[in-house]
């Protein structure tokens, strides 16, 4: 465990909690892509099946359970409790265009052709693109609430910090996982445009709105 | 490569 890994995990946790609290406090999921949240719930479910097969540490187990629990709680709030506020018309990204290719790729390119390993690989590939329905929704409506941008920033920062973690682990532990690294780079790159808008607009006190 | 080792990252 190095500082990049720990801050990455905490940034990820912060993103998840920010989103849950935003929805809970405002009693509304306006501007949030339910499709992205379903994809994240699917990501955690397929990745953390090793909870049943191997114990790594108390930290590891607790974080996995928190991530999964929060992901399903978020989906529940969007599609059940505050369904009336869900902006389904703007959440029109076709998720099958992500899930099907990602499923095919995880069967083709993986470390080991076993069910758990393929599901883990699927979760890594899917996570890298799971935010696209949310970014698509923002590009469609042309704006995002400031709290939503904080959520996206923490979520993007998490994978960027993991990149530094992998550089660290490569130099000091000789550890690298090519599947995670390539997917992590793709994931981080998808946030670059948003990072730019976040720094140039949101951090200067302006609302994030895209030019028409 | 970490093939075969338990995955310790989240």
């Amino acid at each position: 465990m190095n500082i990049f890994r720990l801050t990455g995990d905490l940034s990820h946790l912060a993103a998840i909690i920010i989103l849950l609290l935003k929805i809970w406090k405002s009693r509304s999921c306006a501007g949030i892509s339910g499709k992205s949240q379903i994809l994240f719930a699917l990501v955690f479910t397929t990745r953390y099946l090793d909870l049943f097969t191997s114990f790594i540490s108390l930290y590891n187990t607790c974080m996995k359970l928190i991530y999964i629990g929060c992901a399903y709680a978020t989906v529940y709030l969007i599609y059940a409790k505050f369904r009336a506020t869900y902006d389904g018309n703007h959440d029109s990204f076709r998720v099958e265009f992500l899930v099907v290719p990602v499923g095919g790729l995880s069967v083709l390119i993986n470390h080991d052709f076993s069910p758990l390993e393929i599901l883990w690989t699927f979760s890594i590939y899917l996570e890298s693109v799971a935010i696209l329905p949310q970014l698509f929704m923002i590009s469609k409506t042309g704006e995002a609430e400031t709290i939503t941008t904080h959520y996206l920033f923490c979520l993007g920062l998490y994978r960027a910090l993991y990149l530094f973690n992998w550089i660290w682990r490569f130099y000091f532990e000789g550890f690298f996982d090519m599947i995670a690294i390539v997917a992590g780079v793709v994931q981080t790159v998808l946030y670059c445009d948003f990072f730019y808008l976040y720094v140039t607009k949101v951090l200067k006190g302006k609302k994030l709105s895209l030019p028409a | 490569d970490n093939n075969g080792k338990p995955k310790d990252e989240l």
Side-chain angles (χ1 to χ4, degrees), chain A residues 30-155:
Chain A
I32 301 300
S33 165
K35 290 182 177 176
S36 275
Q37 295 310 312
I38 287 180
L39 292 182
F40 282 124
L42 187 59
V43 163
F44 291 138
T45 307
T46 50
R47 185 174 308 168
Y48 298 157
L49 289 172
D50 63 352
L51 278 170
F52 297 106
T53 60
S54 54
F55 178 80
I56 291 148
S57 66
L58 192 60
Y59 169 84
N60 192 280
T61 301
C62 289
M63 291 295 261
K64 283 175 175 172
L65 291 175
I66 293 170
Y67 286 179
I68 293 180
C70 288
Y72 278 98
T74 305
V75 169
Y76 165 76
L77 290 185
I78 295 173
Y79 285 98
K81 195 163 177 61
F82 301 125
R83 189 184 181 90
T85 64
Y86 170 56
D87 191 6
N89 287 335
H90 285 128
D91 194 12
S92 51
F93 193 94
R94 300 280 296 272
V95 286
E96 59 270 35
F97 291 156
L98 297 180
V99 174
V100 173
V102 157
L105 194 64
S106 56
V107 170
L108 289 175
I109 304 178
N110 51 57
H111 291 307
D112 179 32
F113 198 79
S114 65
L116 265 187
E117 189 66 30
I118 290 172
L119 285 171
W120 178 85
T121 311
F122 172 80
S123 84
I124 293 289
Y125 294 154
L126 185 61
E127 185 190 349
S128 68
V129 292
I131 200 61
L132 286 178
Q134 179 65 61
L135 295 177
F136 179 73
M137 194 172 178
I138 291 174
S139 73
K140 240 189 144 186
T141 60
E143 58 177 25
E145 282 179 60
T146 299
I147 187 75
T148 306
T149 66
H150 295 328
Y151 160 71
L152 280 170
F153 178 74
C154 288
L155 203 58

Side-chain angles (χ1 to χ4, degrees), chain A residues 48 56 60 111 117 120 165-166 169 177, chain B:
Chain A
Y48 298 157
I56 291 148
N60 192 280
H111 291 307
E117 189 66 30
W120 178 85
N165 157 58
W166 289 324
R169 293 192 74 169
D177 184 321
Chain B
D1 205 88
N2 73 331
N3 196 8
K5 285 190 239 162
K7 296 182 167 74
D8 65 332
E9 292 181 347
L10 291 167

